[in-house]
Amino acid sequence: MTQLPPNESVYFDAEYETMPREQIAELQLELLLETIAYAYEHSPLIRETWQAAKVTPRDVATFDDFYEKVPFISKDAVRDFRDGRGDPYGGLLCVPTDELTAIMSTSGTTGDPTLVAEKWGGGSVGRPAIMYRDFWGMGVRPGDFFSLFLFTFRGPTYGFVQSLGGIPLLFDYDLMEIERLLRLSCEYRPTAMYNFGGTMILATADIAERAGIDPRDAFSSYKGMVWAGEPLGARARALADEWGMPLFEHSSVGDVTASFECSMHNGMHFWEDTVLVEGIDPEAVDHRDAQAITRDGERCELVATALTNRVAPLIRYRSDDIVRLARTPCACGRTHARIWTIGRKGDEVIVAGRSVLPIDVWSAVESLEPCRLGLFQVIRAQREVDVLRLRVGYQDTPSARLGALADEVAGAVLAKVGVTPEVQLVPNAELLRLGPPHKIPRVTKR
Amino acid sequence: MRYLVTLVALGGGVVSDATALWGVGTWVDRDGVRRPWEVSHTEIQRAMGHSSRVLGDLGVGPGARVLWCSMLSEAAQVWPFIVGSMLSGAQLSCADATAAEAPRVAMFCRLIDYRAVMGVTGAILDGLDEMGLAYADVFGAVAVLGARPDAYHRLTTAGLAPQHFALVGPAVAVAREPAGPALVDDAEWAVDLIDGHVAVTTKSERPTAFDRAVTCVRAASTSGNEIACA
Ligand SMILES: [Zn+2]
């Protein structure tokens, strides 16, 4: 049974959330040494990777030992092990398969989905952290209604709402559900929402108008509305401000855990009693030449190690994510580090020597009225290209005007990014079919 | 994201009053309109008891694997089966019941030997069509193939032997054998037919009573708790 703090408590777990950093480090080292010994013994991928680097858990007694000697694991290494050995768990599984209670999968947005092994109730050695501390911090209390706007492929994880004493309103992750969300929000007055993205916010404007509902009223009871997946464009931000949406950003942390903004809205906290996060030079070839980037706010590649997962822990997992990190105390009183996401290393395209990430194209695309949902893909056959090719979604435009619209998109992108793109227009519906709206692949080979 | 491995809550951990609300789900009426449905912890507990018997009938227990295809809006009906699958000792996988999820469904079926795949929709089949995958190649090795009304005949045409599975308003109807009738929980629901649509009536105490509520599910006939799907 989850123990809840008194309602007036600002923190879900005050002792852990405000733990002095030296104490966090002590706890992390203890968990790290335990985790690496366990993973080395049970995970074939970890053991083989370490053996190739001629290191064993006995060689690691300090953080410096770990950073200096332990090799990275990449997503490709996991996939290669899976495909080469016929092991659907990519060599990460540390328990016999018959002990698993669930076999879920990753989203598959950045490649084919991979299996995620789970053991309910026995998979973690930590205290309740992610979701619990974050939503409590946003103000969710027992008895509150809580809008869940989710897909199901991660299984019945939404039970955390009831464990917090909340009552979920259940919605599909689908634009078609927005009107129902608005209506039930007016009826039940929920305090929290998980999770809504930029595309959803943009679509809400038209849907609310057609339904005759004022989004300001529908969203007036919310204390925290979590969005994730993709950067919010200027248009979505402006609408959210206009409607008084209390937005909190949320993001993955190297496939090991996730992070949430706190009330300060200055970076997303991740709970360091569950994960060890490092920042390294993105150009590093391997652990031997990887420069640690420890200055607050500097761009780095995120490397993460699971500290409490005893089913399939990732150790020194090189995420491909470009981020900024800060370990200075936050004004909210929490001592755990914060992260800002910037983009994926693998999404970068070099157009005639100029670096372009999807985030750079975004505001240009959504500035055109027919493209206001900001749906687009960068077509990236290889990293370096001569011409930036974009597939852009549109709505409400007669076919006779499409040529002119393509020119307008190209002009907007040129003004923003400095290169003239080749623009292929497709109806929004065609892009939306590629996945849940906040997860359409923004970079594609074809 | 792998972090959800650490989320172990099965819900209800802090609720002392079982009549308290578990959540607000939906049921779909004859016009296809989603109507809100408030469900209490008591009702979920009763449904868990029923789901464990159904899962037993389907051979979903220790050592078996089951893939549930559903939507979050269906959780008030499906949660007892999803969580019940794990409690029964089976290994659980989940996917949305959409065309976009067809690659995940196909991936799961390729890598994992499922005893049962439940809740297959026409949308998933549309997605498999787009991928150029034959239904028999994806589901051929699955012993229990629970098909929604819009998928059932497409699967039989493909030479498979699906079993009826339908959300009949707030009730879940599951056939125990291929071509057999779909059954709702006899202790909880009575079904009859209104203009070819299945209507549902509550038999035991519930905060939200249903009295011949007409659902979107069409049937040829009903008898007791049995539905002969159209
Ligand atoms: Zn903070």
Side-chain angles (χ1 to χ4, degrees), chain B residues 12-220:
Chain B
V14 296
V15 176
S16 50
D17 175 9
T19 61
L21 279 187
W22 172 89
V24 181
T26 57
W27 69 279
V28 183
D29 72 12
R30 69 182 301 163
D31 301 318
V33 175
R34 294 178 175 195
R35 295 174 173 274
W37 178 35
E38 296 184 354
V39 187
S40 66
H41 283 266
T42 315
E43 291 167 279
I44 291 288
Q45 285 308 318
R46 296 203 312 249
M48 297 280 277
H50 172 248
S51 76
S52 72
R53 291 187 292 277
V54 174
L55 291 166
D57 290 348
L58 299 177
V60 174
R65 292 170 177 152
V66 58
L67 168 61
W68 281 95
C69 305
S70 67
M71 303 302 289
L72 191 67
S73 62
E74 301 172 329
Q77 289 90 334
V78 181
W79 166 283
F81 287 88
I82 288 180
V83 174
S85 296
M86 287 193 291
L87 296 178
S88 77
Q91 290 175 347
L92 168 74
S93 303
C94 294
D96 271 3
T98 61
E101 284 280 88
R104 189 185 315 282
V105 171
M107 180 272 298
F108 272 138
C109 290
R110 194 176 65 243
L111 295 176
I112 298 170
D113 52 331
Y114 290 109
R115 161 80 192 167
V117 175
M118 302 301 292
V120 175
T121 55
I124 290 175
L125 300 185
D126 292 344
L128 294 177
D129 290 346
E130 272 178 43
M131 296 171 71
L133 294 176
Y135 310 154
D137 290 342
V138 177
F139 300 121
V142 176
V144 178
L145 186 56
R148 312 267 193 151
D150 63 350
Y152 185 86
H153 293 295
R154 291 168 70 179
L155 291 167
T156 53
T157 304
L160 294 163
Q163 299 175 210
H164 286 292
F165 174 90
L167 299 195
V168 186
V172 182
V174 189
R176 305 300 198 272
E177 58 193 5
L183 310 177
V184 297
D185 183 356
D186 199 26
E188 298 284 344
W189 308 103
V191 287
D192 68 333
L193 220 51
I194 297 179
D195 299 334
H197 287 258
V198 181
V200 180
T201 302
T202 35
K203 286 171 83 172
S204 53
E205 185 81 4
R206 281 179 186 265
T208 307
F210 290 83
D211 182 13
R212 300 192 78 204
V214 186
T215 72
C216 62
V217 176
R218 290 182 162 278

Side-chain angles (χ1 to χ4, degrees), chain A residues 1 97 100-103 105-107 120-121 132 152 154 162-163 168 170 172 177 180 188 252 255 257 433, chain B residues 1-4 8-9 12-14 22 24 26 34 38 71-73 86 91-96 104 130:
Chain A
M1 181 178 284
T97 50
L100 298 177
T101 47
I103 306 165
S105 66
T106 57
S107 70
W120 297 76
Y132 294 90
T152 66
R154 300 202 197 289
Q162 284 106 341
S163 292
L170 300 152
D172 302 338
E177 286 276 75
R180 220 165 60 81
Y188 288 94
S252 163
D255 283 355
T257 182
R433 275 174 48 230
Chain B
M1 282 188 274
R2 210 166 292 272
Y3 68 90
L4 290 170
V8 295
V14 296
W22 172 89
V24 181
T26 57
R34 294 178 175 195
E38 296 184 354
M71 303 302 289
L72 191 67
S73 62
M86 287 193 291
Q91 290 175 347
L92 168 74
S93 303
C94 294
D96 271 3
R104 189 185 315 282
E130 272 178 43

Side-chain angles (χ1 to χ4, degrees), chain A residues 346-393:
Chain A
D347 284 355
E348 187 184 49
V349 47
I350 308 292
V351 189
R354 185 186 290 261
S355 159
V356 180
L357 279 164
I359 181 98
D360 300 321
V361 175
W362 218 290
S363 57
V365 168
E366 66 167 16
S367 68
L368 280 307
E369 190 60 21
C371 309
R372 60 184 179 275
L373 288 193
L375 295 171
F376 70 91
Q377 294 187 303
V378 176
I379 303 167
R380 177 190 189 268
Q382 66 269 338
R383 183 164 177 266
E384 297 192 28
V385 297
D386 295 329
V387 179
L388 176 65
R389 292 176 60 214
L390 300 176
R391 181 175 294 130
V392 178

Side-chain angles (χ1 to χ4, degrees), chain A residues 262-264 267 269 330-334 338:
Chain A
C262 66
S263 55
M264 295 297 120
H269 287 283
C330 178
C332 74
R334 294 184 177 85
R338 284 166 290 156

